[in-house]
Amino acid sequence: MAEKVLVTGVSGLLGSNTVVALQEAGYQVRGLVRAKSSLLAVAGVPGLELAYGSLLNEQELREAMEGCRYVVHAAAETRQWGVSRQAHWDTNVVGTMRMVRAAAGLGVEKFVQVSTASVFQPGSLGQPGTEQTECEPALAGTPYVSAKLAADRYIRSEVRDNGFPAVIVNPTFMIGPRDAAPSSGKMITHYLKSRWVFCPPGGKNFVHVRDVAAGIAGALEKGVVGEHYLLAGTNLSFREFFGIVGACSGVRRKLFCPSGRTLSGMGRMGEVLGRIRGSEMPFNAASMALLSRECYFTPRKAVTALGMPQTSIENAVAEYLDWQARHA
């Protein structure tokens, strides 16, 4: 009988692609979803068993994990605005703690925690960021990054102090099919639907979501407990990425490219407005700083240790567009 893996967040971009990758690797997959989640991302995936529950309900988590040898925790609150800082903390930190307690109580043999590359210090094209250095406080100020950083520290403490069998993977910006919401695909939608496209001066690492899913399958088999693995792809400026979107879609848009100084001013304004309103603004000092600089990473460790593939971003964008055309 195939070994069973519980995967959280299977209604999302990464979770759905991870289900397929694990099935292709020979695992039987059970997916944890919330009762009201859309299942469009996994529609037509054969053999997927579903369990319904909340990350904040430990009893439901234990029931979902029952009979599973492994766990991949991919569910997360990733929205950058429109949700409270507390919501990020509850899902990304408290939810992770309860997942770990449930898994430890059931004797799960390996737990793959899906974090984000943003918890590491980014680098330049010449010296891309690695798994070695935690990001500076100025770049960890968004609710999402600060919560994921706290969750990573908790996982590491459980590995160190209690021998919990966890591996942490840190994807960069994922593009590809099954982005039903869409999530990161909003960047492509922004390009296609805008007359003028907001194009920051910086850049980031883009990766095909299927490569990330393959990296997670590799981490389950080959990942060393306590280690981090950057699941990264290609370093591109935002201008270069939008050029790829234009070429793949056949749509040409004009780019509005503000300076880093302008974005810094917007970030300071967002901080002030956020304090006045008592809520997070979509632009703050940390988010504007990230958009203004090169946030580049290397996939070397994951490619070498986990066998993570490296698919072109052109292919990732084309597959995203094709899937959206058939399912949206």
Side-chain angles (χ1 to χ4, degrees):
M1 182 179 293
E3 296 172 330
K4 185 173 289 188
V5 185
L6 177 73
V7 179
T8 67
V10 299
S11 62
L13 170 64
L14 179 56
S16 59
N17 280 276
T18 299
V19 168
V20 176
L22 290 173
Q23 288 180 335
E24 290 175 349
Y27 295 97
Q28 183 180 351
V29 182
R30 179 184 295 160
L32 178 68
V33 293
R34 292 172 297 185
K36 296 182 179 180
S37 294
S38 166
L39 298 178
L40 177 60
V42 288
V45 176
L48 173 62
E49 178 186 349
L50 292 177
Y52 293 88
S54 165
L55 293 180
L56 300 180
N57 188 316
E58 196 168 330
Q59 179 59 35
E60 291 177 347
L61 296 180
R62 288 178 62 87
E63 291 172 0
M65 287 182 202
E66 193 71 46
C68 293
R69 189 171 182 178
Y70 309 112
V71 171
V72 174
H73 181 33
E77 177 57 77
T78 62
R79 290 173 292 176
Q80 298 299 307
W81 55 83
V83 294
S84 67
R85 186 172 290 267
Q86 187 63 48
H88 276 278
W89 187 266
D90 288 345
T91 298
N92 298 330
V93 182
V94 178
T96 296
M97 291 177 173
R98 293 183 181 172
M99 284 287 297
V100 168
R101 284 201 297 265
L106 290 169
V108 165
E109 292 184 25
K110 185 172 277 187
F111 184 104
V112 178
Q113 166 76 2
V114 179
S115 181
T116 172
S118 296
V119 302
F120 295 121
Q121 185 67 19
S124 63
L125 278 177
Q127 290 187 305
T130 70
E131 295 87 350
Q132 300 304 310
T133 307
E134 200 171 86
C135 65
E136 61 194 75
L139 298 181
T142 67
Y144 172 64
V145 176
S146 59
K148 294 298 280 186
L149 184 55
D152 276 19
R153 289 170 175 168
Y154 169 75
I155 291 282
R156 291 199 300 268
S157 71
E158 287 296 303
V159 172
R160 181 186 65 247
D161 299 337
N162 298 312
F164 186 66
V167 176
I168 304 176
V169 295
N170 302 80
T172 58
F173 195 80
M174 297 173 287
I175 299 292
R178 302 185 183 276
D179 196 359
S183 54
S184 54
K186 287 180 180 178
M187 194 169 174
I188 298 175
T189 303
H190 165 64
Y191 178 91
L192 296 176
K193 294 187 175 181
S194 302
R195 186 171 180 180
W196 283 88
V197 176
F198 172 65
C199 180
K204 63 172 62 179
N205 187 280
F206 295 85
V207 63
H208 196 308
V209 67
R210 197 165 56 243
D211 291 350
V212 174
I216 289 172
L220 200 57
E221 179 184 355
K222 306 172 187 175
V224 176
V225 169
E227 289 288 318
H228 283 268
Y229 297 91
L230 269 165
L231 304 185
T234 306
N235 294 311
L236 297 168
S237 69
F238 290 111
R239 183 183 289 274
E240 288 171 328
F241 177 73
F242 286 131
I244 290 173
V245 175
C248 290
S249 65
V251 175
R252 298 294 180 181
R253 297 291 189 229
K254 295 178 179 179
L255 302 182
F256 166 62
C257 303
S259 67
R261 186 174 182 178
T262 298
L263 292 183
S264 179
M266 291 174 60
R268 290 194 298 272
M269 183 184 300
E271 296 281 347
V272 172
L273 290 175
R275 286 194 292 269
I276 292 173
R277 296 178 56 179
S279 61
E280 296 289 335
M281 298 295 291
F283 50 95
N284 57 31
S287 62
M288 293 299 101
L290 286 168
L291 292 175
S292 300
R293 65 185 292 174
E294 293 180 329
C295 291
Y296 296 151
F297 295 97
T298 175
R300 185 178 299 114
K301 182 178 179 180
V303 170
T304 302
L306 308 180
M308 179 186 175
Q310 293 285 281
T311 306
S312 73
I313 301 306
E314 288 83 355
N315 184 281
V317 171
E319 289 193 42
Y320 169 84
L321 293 170
D322 177 69
W323 193 90
Q324 291 295 326
R326 290 184 290 109
H327 295 88

